[in-house]
Short mmCIF file of all heavy atoms in Angstrom, two decimals:
data_model
loop_
_atom_site.label_atom_id
_atom_site.label_comp_id
_atom_site.label_asym_id
_atom_site.label_seq_id
_atom_site.Cartn_x
_atom_site.Cartn_y
_atom_site.Cartn_z
N THR T 14 162.97 80.18 91.95
CA THR T 14 161.98 81.07 91.29
C THR T 14 162.64 81.78 90.15
O THR T 14 161.96 82.06 89.13
CB THR T 14 161.43 82.05 92.37
OG1 THR T 14 160.91 81.29 93.44
CG2 THR T 14 160.31 82.83 91.77
N ALA T 15 163.87 82.16 90.27
CA ALA T 15 164.54 82.94 89.27
C ALA T 15 164.93 82.13 88.03
O ALA T 15 164.95 82.59 86.89
CB ALA T 15 165.80 83.69 89.85
N THR T 16 165.29 80.85 88.29
CA THR T 16 165.77 79.99 87.18
C THR T 16 164.77 78.96 86.66
O THR T 16 164.96 78.44 85.52
CB THR T 16 167.07 79.27 87.68
OG1 THR T 16 166.78 78.49 88.82
CG2 THR T 16 168.18 80.26 88.02
N ALA T 17 163.79 78.70 87.40
CA ALA T 17 162.79 77.69 86.93
C ALA T 17 162.13 78.07 85.56
O ALA T 17 161.95 77.13 84.76
CB ALA T 17 161.66 77.47 88.01
N PRO T 18 161.76 79.30 85.35
CA PRO T 18 161.19 79.63 83.99
C PRO T 18 162.11 79.26 82.82
O PRO T 18 161.65 78.83 81.79
CB PRO T 18 160.88 81.13 84.08
CG PRO T 18 160.75 81.40 85.57
CD PRO T 18 161.68 80.45 86.15
N GLU T 19 163.38 79.45 83.02
CA GLU T 19 164.38 79.18 81.99
C GLU T 19 164.35 77.64 81.65
O GLU T 19 164.34 77.20 80.51
CB GLU T 19 165.74 79.61 82.37
CG GLU T 19 166.82 79.27 81.34
CD GLU T 19 168.24 79.62 81.85
OE1 GLU T 19 168.39 80.14 82.94
OE2 GLU T 19 169.17 79.29 81.08
N LEU T 20 164.36 76.85 82.72
CA LEU T 20 164.33 75.40 82.56
C LEU T 20 162.99 74.96 81.89
O LEU T 20 163.06 74.12 81.01
CB LEU T 20 164.53 74.65 83.89
CG LEU T 20 164.40 73.15 83.85
CD1 LEU T 20 165.41 72.56 82.88
CD2 LEU T 20 164.53 72.54 85.24
N GLU T 21 161.94 75.52 82.38
CA GLU T 21 160.64 75.20 81.78
C GLU T 21 160.55 75.52 80.32
O GLU T 21 160.10 74.69 79.51
CB GLU T 21 159.53 75.97 82.54
CG GLU T 21 158.13 75.50 82.14
CD GLU T 21 157.11 76.08 83.11
OE1 GLU T 21 157.27 77.27 83.59
OE2 GLU T 21 156.10 75.36 83.35
N ALA T 22 161.13 76.67 79.95
CA ALA T 22 161.15 77.03 78.50
C ALA T 22 162.00 76.03 77.65
O ALA T 22 161.61 75.62 76.57
CB ALA T 22 161.66 78.45 78.34
N LYS T 23 163.15 75.68 78.16
CA LYS T 23 163.96 74.73 77.46
C LYS T 23 163.29 73.37 77.37
O LYS T 23 163.46 72.70 76.29
CB LYS T 23 165.34 74.60 78.15
CG LYS T 23 166.29 75.74 77.94
CD LYS T 23 167.71 75.45 78.31
CE LYS T 23 168.53 76.70 78.26
NZ LYS T 23 169.21 76.94 77.03
N LEU T 24 162.62 72.95 78.37
CA LEU T 24 161.95 71.68 78.30
C LEU T 24 160.81 71.72 77.28
O LEU T 24 160.64 70.76 76.49
CB LEU T 24 161.33 71.28 79.67
CG LEU T 24 162.39 70.80 80.71
CD1 LEU T 24 161.72 70.66 82.11
CD2 LEU T 24 162.98 69.47 80.27
N ASN T 25 159.98 72.79 77.29
CA ASN T 25 158.94 72.94 76.31
C ASN T 25 159.46 72.89 74.88
O ASN T 25 158.76 72.36 73.97
CB ASN T 25 158.19 74.22 76.60
CG ASN T 25 157.35 74.17 77.83
OD1 ASN T 25 157.03 73.08 78.34
ND2 ASN T 25 157.04 75.31 78.40
N GLN T 26 160.66 73.41 74.63
CA GLN T 26 161.24 73.39 73.28
C GLN T 26 161.78 72.03 72.93
O GLN T 26 161.92 71.67 71.76
CB GLN T 26 162.39 74.38 73.17
CG GLN T 26 162.07 75.79 73.38
CD GLN T 26 163.34 76.68 73.59
OE1 GLN T 26 164.43 76.15 73.59
NE2 GLN T 26 163.14 77.94 73.73
N SER T 27 162.12 71.18 73.95
CA SER T 27 162.91 70.05 73.67
C SER T 27 162.19 68.64 73.81
O SER T 27 162.69 67.69 73.41
CB SER T 27 164.13 69.97 74.63
OG SER T 27 164.82 71.18 74.54
N LEU T 28 160.96 68.62 74.40
CA LEU T 28 160.40 67.30 74.73
C LEU T 28 159.64 66.61 73.65
O LEU T 28 159.38 65.48 73.70
CB LEU T 28 159.47 67.49 75.94
CG LEU T 28 160.18 67.67 77.31
CD1 LEU T 28 159.18 67.81 78.44
CD2 LEU T 28 161.16 66.55 77.60
N ASN T 29 159.43 67.36 72.55
CA ASN T 29 158.65 66.69 71.44
C ASN T 29 159.45 65.53 70.85
O ASN T 29 160.59 65.68 70.43
CB ASN T 29 158.42 67.76 70.34
CG ASN T 29 157.33 67.27 69.36
OD1 ASN T 29 156.54 66.39 69.61
ND2 ASN T 29 157.41 67.83 68.17
N GLY T 30 158.81 64.33 70.91
CA GLY T 30 159.41 63.14 70.37
C GLY T 30 160.41 62.44 71.35
O GLY T 30 160.95 61.39 71.01
N ILE T 31 160.58 62.97 72.52
CA ILE T 31 161.48 62.36 73.51
C ILE T 31 160.75 61.29 74.23
O ILE T 31 159.66 61.49 74.72
CB ILE T 31 162.00 63.40 74.49
CG1 ILE T 31 162.86 64.48 73.78
CG2 ILE T 31 162.77 62.81 75.65
CD1 ILE T 31 164.15 63.92 73.15
N GLU T 32 161.35 60.11 74.39
CA GLU T 32 160.75 58.98 75.09
C GLU T 32 161.39 58.78 76.47
O GLU T 32 160.79 58.10 77.32
CB GLU T 32 160.88 57.70 74.25
CG GLU T 32 160.08 57.83 72.98
CD GLU T 32 160.21 56.57 72.07
OE1 GLU T 32 161.04 55.69 72.44
OE2 GLU T 32 159.62 56.61 71.02
N LYS T 33 162.58 59.32 76.64
CA LYS T 33 163.24 59.13 77.94
C LYS T 33 163.88 60.53 78.35
O LYS T 33 164.71 61.04 77.54
CB LYS T 33 164.28 58.07 77.92
CG LYS T 33 164.98 57.84 79.27
CD LYS T 33 165.94 56.65 79.10
CE LYS T 33 166.68 56.43 80.44
NZ LYS T 33 167.72 55.36 80.25
N LEU T 34 163.51 61.04 79.45
CA LEU T 34 164.02 62.31 79.97
C LEU T 34 164.81 61.97 81.24
O LEU T 34 164.31 61.40 82.20
CB LEU T 34 162.90 63.29 80.28
CG LEU T 34 163.33 64.58 80.98
CD1 LEU T 34 164.29 65.39 80.15
CD2 LEU T 34 162.04 65.42 81.29
N VAL T 35 166.13 62.40 81.23
CA VAL T 35 166.95 62.15 82.40
C VAL T 35 167.42 63.49 82.92
O VAL T 35 167.98 64.31 82.18
CB VAL T 35 168.20 61.30 82.05
CG1 VAL T 35 169.14 61.02 83.22
CG2 VAL T 35 167.73 59.94 81.48
N PHE T 36 167.19 63.68 84.24
CA PHE T 36 167.73 64.88 84.88
C PHE T 36 168.98 64.46 85.68
O PHE T 36 168.88 63.47 86.41
CB PHE T 36 166.77 65.51 85.81
CG PHE T 36 165.70 66.36 85.19
CD1 PHE T 36 164.40 65.86 85.00
CD2 PHE T 36 165.96 67.64 84.81
CE1 PHE T 36 163.45 66.60 84.43
CE2 PHE T 36 165.00 68.43 84.17
CZ PHE T 36 163.75 67.89 83.99
N ASP T 37 170.13 65.12 85.50
CA ASP T 37 171.30 64.83 86.25
C ASP T 37 171.48 65.95 87.24
O ASP T 37 171.79 67.10 86.88
CB ASP T 37 172.51 64.69 85.38
CG ASP T 37 173.81 64.32 86.04
OD1 ASP T 37 173.84 64.41 87.32
OD2 ASP T 37 174.77 63.93 85.39
#
């Protein structure tokens, strides 16, 4: 709960034009 918003914000900034998203 404490860290999910940070990840969500980074994803929202980064996914434009991305065709493959890999979570490690």
Side-chain angles (χ1 to χ4, degrees):
T14 306
T16 58
E19 179 186 357
L20 176 59
E21 189 169 34
K23 285 196 187 266
L24 285 171
N25 289 339
Q26 297 168 357
S27 306
L28 287 181
N29 193 21
I31 296 296
E32 294 175 1
K33 183 178 180 184
L34 172 61
V35 178
F36 282 102
D37 185 344

